[in-house]
Amino acid sequence: MTDRKHSACCSYIHAHTDIVNEVRSKLPSEEVLYDLADLFKVFGDTTRIRILYVLFESEMCVCDIAQLLQMGQSAISHQLHVLKQNKLVKSRREGKTVFYSLSDDHVRIIIDRGVEHVCE
Amino acid sequence: MTDRKHSACCSYIHAHTDIVNEVRSKLPSEEVLYDLADLFKVFGDTTRIRILYVLFESEMCVCDIAQLLQMGQSAISHQLHVLKQNKLVKSRREGKTVFYSLSDDHVRIIIDRGVEHVCE
DNA sequence: ACTTCATATGAACGCATATTCATATGAGAG
DNA sequence: CTCTCATATGAATATGCGTTCATATGAAGT
């Protein structure tokens, strides 16, 4: 148990080998791990969170959101693109304007859990 | 309703003014918003997510985590610091080694919600 | 077709952040 | 006190990402 590669690591393993193997086997796949991190990254930005909060109330077009949040149209459009890519919002075209709305309830649930933690 | 400041925005408001005001009033405070985004930012990194998954199984010391995840001790230590700052993990000293564990159930709940969304 | 308006998109700039390296701290053993 | 080992920390580097600016797309009206 002393023949280790990591020179910068401790010279023994505290956890039993079977526990280490069990933990390794329970780790999600690389793909799920990346998708998970990517999903949470989306929530890790105040602009996107504010957009989602706005959409909690009502579907809305790009420029209305921009005006509500006092931001440029381009910035909002870029962020809506990110949100859509991650299937958190969906869009509906009506003439020249595009209305965005939440794609499902997951969004609200995830954010509410976050609020619970933040507010202790 | 046509006297608008934002030149880059549409020349009218689709949503009724009262809805706009209602949405504005329901937006969380700047502080909560930032704390929320910061919290999700923590989950938005594969290394930190993997650390949390490891701690789902058992409390563990820094070097064990580093070895399990095949990463440097310093990197893990830095990330554990971030996790601790956000009250997602707690630590317990035993001699020279420091054991980390989850600080509460919120962590698992939030991650599980994320998995739900990712796995459709 | 041409103009206008709402939205989308690509490039660029600036800022945040994850990892590494080197080193410091802190605890136990001798 | 000194040495060793586990962990923490600061600086530096590299990579990612959000906003802005300029411009493109696409739809409706004339």
Side-chain angles (χ1 to χ4, degrees), chain A residues 26-82:
Chain A
K26 286 197 179 179
L27 280 179
S29 69
E30 283 294 307
E31 197 197 344
V32 171
L33 233 35
Y34 269 92
D35 289 350
L36 245 189
D38 279 345
L39 175 67
F40 285 122
K41 247 176 252 178
V42 176
F43 290 101
D45 178 78
T46 41
T47 298
R48 285 189 293 261
I49 291 221
R50 291 197 301 175
I51 291 176
L52 293 174
Y53 263 104
V54 166
L55 297 182
F56 281 168
E57 302 304 321
S58 158
E59 78 168 1
M60 215 164 278
C61 73
V62 180
C63 71
D64 280 353
I65 300 174
Q67 209 201 352
L68 236 163
L69 301 184
Q70 304 277 51
M71 294 184 62
Q73 172 267 326
S74 182
I76 301 298
S77 189
H78 276 297
Q79 299 303 355
L80 282 169
H81 179 74
V82 174

Side-chain angles (χ1 to χ4, degrees), chain B residues 44-90:
Chain B
D45 177 80
T46 40
T47 298
R48 285 190 292 263
I49 292 222
R50 291 195 304 174
I51 290 176
L52 292 174
Y53 263 105
V54 166
L55 296 182
F56 281 169
E57 301 304 321
S58 157
E59 78 168 1
M60 218 165 276
C61 72
V62 180
C63 72
D64 279 353
I65 299 173
Q67 207 201 354
L68 236 162
L69 302 183
Q70 304 276 52
M71 293 184 62
Q73 172 268 325
S74 182
I76 300 298
S77 189
H78 277 297
Q79 299 303 355
L80 282 169
H81 180 74
V82 174
L83 290 168
K84 195 174 180 181
Q85 259 188 172
N86 285 271
K87 304 197 194 299
L88 300 179
V89 304
K90 58 179 192 286

Side-chain angles (χ1 to χ4, degrees), chain B residues 9 16 21 38 63-64 66 76:
Chain B
C9 189
H16 299 301
N21 287 333
D38 279 344
C63 72
D64 279 353
I76 300 298

Side-chain angles (χ1 to χ4, degrees), chain B:
Chain B
M1 209 177 271
T2 50
D3 53 333
R4 298 279 301 288
K5 297 285 175 51
H6 280 273
S7 57
C9 189
C10 58
S11 54
Y12 57 98
I13 302 184
H14 295 96
H16 299 301
T17 308
D18 53 347
I19 289 188
V20 170
N21 287 333
E22 194 190 335
V23 171
R24 274 227 176 85
S25 71
K26 286 197 178 179
L27 280 180
S29 68
E30 283 293 308
E31 198 198 344
V32 171
L33 233 35
Y34 269 91
D35 289 349
L36 244 189
D38 279 344
L39 175 66
F40 286 123
K41 249 176 248 177
V42 176
F43 290 100
D45 177 80
T46 40
T47 298
R48 285 190 292 263
I49 292 222
R50 291 195 304 174
I51 290 176
L52 292 174
Y53 263 105
V54 166
L55 296 182
F56 281 169
E57 301 304 321
S58 157
E59 78 168 1
M60 218 165 276
C61 72
V62 180
C63 72
D64 279 353
I65 299 173
Q67 207 201 354
L68 236 162
L69 302 183
Q70 304 276 52
M71 293 184 62
Q73 172 268 325
S74 182
I76 300 298
S77 189
H78 277 297
Q79 299 303 355
L80 282 169
H81 180 74
V82 174
L83 290 168
K84 195 174 180 181
Q85 259 188 172
N86 285 271
K87 304 197 194 299
L88 300 179
V89 304
K90 58 179 192 286
S91 62
R92 170 179 74 83
R93 174 146 232 146
E94 190 171 303
K96 279 177 289 187
T97 75
V98 176
F99 289 93
Y100 283 87
S101 58
L102 299 179
S103 60
D104 58 49
D105 303 335
H106 286 152
V107 186
R108 188 153 212 165
I109 292 172
I110 293 174
I111 287 187
D112 282 347
R113 296 301 173 202
V115 173
E116 271 179 31
H117 183 85
V118 166
C119 299
E120 235 90 335

